[in-house]
Amino acid sequence: QKEVEQNSGPLSVPEGAIASLNCTYSDRVSQSFFWYRQYSGKSPELIMSIYSNGDKEDGRFTAQLNKASQYVSLLIRDSQPSDSATYLCAVNVEYGNKLVFGAGTILRVKS
Amino acid sequence: DTGVSQNPRHKITKRGQNVTFRCDPISEHNRLYWYRQTLGQGPEFLTYFQNEAQLEKSRLLSDRFSAERPKGSFSTLEIQRTEQGDSAMYLCASSPLPQDRLSPLHFGNGTRLTVT
């Protein structure tokens, strides 16, 4: 089982819709969770960090964490064509001091 | 805060040659990480430093790879006797020391290596 799993997509949503991106992880002791956005040919850019169960909102983005289910998600409200990118879920594992990344979900927002 | 800087941006080399990449982290960040990313995959951890000490190295990392951070500031990643399978984007990231939890990593623009 991979440590961090994401659906590779592509996930296609119309402009203005809510995009929902999901991630599961295998290590029950993970404490730190991050979402990064990566445009083609560019480096990952931090969008959100979340450490506690529940929801965390920042503008159009909401991160949701459920440690019991080992599940973290990212909601993007009012999706824009500029949101089209690959979204990477990253988790620290095994009390480690590094992040393990999922393979990413490709999001396409159609205008 | 000028961000994480990586040089060169692109490197094309022939199989068997050695290459070296440089990373300048955000100045106040104690931690520096190297990752490798291939098409369609997420970044894969290679190694990380806390100040000048190399604290962890991936078990998957070949002996041809070596990294240094001699004065706890910039870092270099060297690949000896390059192979075509080394072609990838090499990403450097830095972060402050964690408090009670891991801080987010801030990535540089990466060095794209092509081995012909």
Side-chain angles (χ1 to χ4, degrees), chain A residues 10-106:
Chain A
L11 172 66
S12 292
V13 300
E15 184 175 357
I18 295 175
S20 178
L21 304 162
N22 304 314
C23 172
T24 58
Y25 59 95
S26 60
D27 188 354
R28 289 193 168 274
V29 300
S30 293
Q31 296 293 319
S32 304
F33 307 86
F34 305 92
W35 283 99
Y36 285 82
R37 177 175 62 199
Q38 188 172 29
Y39 292 113
S40 180
K42 304 296 185 181
S43 62
E45 170 192 12
L46 180 70
I47 297 177
M48 296 278 288
S49 58
I50 187 166
Y51 302 98
S52 304
N53 279 327
D55 295 0
K56 179 181 178 182
E57 186 174 321
D58 184 359
R60 296 187 296 114
F61 299 99
T62 299
Q64 299 174 317
L65 175 61
N66 184 326
K67 291 185 180 180
S69 299
Q70 295 173 236
Y71 175 91
V72 58
S73 66
L74 180 70
L75 300 178
I76 306 174
R77 290 181 298 282
D78 187 23
S79 295
Q80 301 297 310
S82 58
D83 295 326
S84 298
T86 298
Y87 288 80
L88 298 164
C89 173
V91 179
N92 79 309
V93 297
E94 297 177 5
Y95 293 108
N97 291 288
K98 66 183 184 226
L99 292 184
V100 176
F101 285 81
T105 299
I106 298 170

Side-chain angles (χ1 to χ4, degrees), chain B residues 15-116:
Chain B
R15 186 164 50 100
Q17 297 296 306
N18 298 345
V19 294
T20 300
F21 310 140
R22 177 179 169 125
C23 172
D24 289 88
I26 294 170
S27 58
E28 61 267 28
H29 285 181
N30 300 91
R31 287 202 172 170
L32 185 150
Y33 296 78
W34 285 100
Y35 283 79
R36 174 174 62 191
Q37 187 176 25
T38 54
L39 195 62
Q41 300 299 315
E44 174 194 19
F45 171 79
L46 296 179
T47 187
Y48 91 93
F49 294 83
Q50 184 165 304
N51 301 315
E52 66 275 9
Q54 187 174 18
L55 296 187
E56 188 173 348
K57 189 174 176 181
S58 170
R59 289 168 291 178
L60 302 176
L61 199 59
S62 162
D63 290 343
R64 297 183 295 105
F65 287 70
S66 63
E68 295 182 339
R69 194 183 183 195
K71 296 183 180 179
S73 57
F74 72 91
S75 175
T76 58
L77 177 68
E78 181 183 19
I79 309 174
Q80 296 181 328
R81 304 181 303 282
T82 52
E83 303 173 356
Q84 287 187 323
D86 297 331
S87 296
M89 175 77 87
Y90 288 83
L91 295 163
C92 177
S94 68
S95 74
L97 280 177
Q99 300 300 314
D100 55 346
R101 53 203 181 192
L102 196 65
S103 302
L105 306 187
H106 300 264
F107 284 89
N109 289 324
T111 294
R112 181 166 297 283
L113 173 66
T114 302
V115 181
T116 61

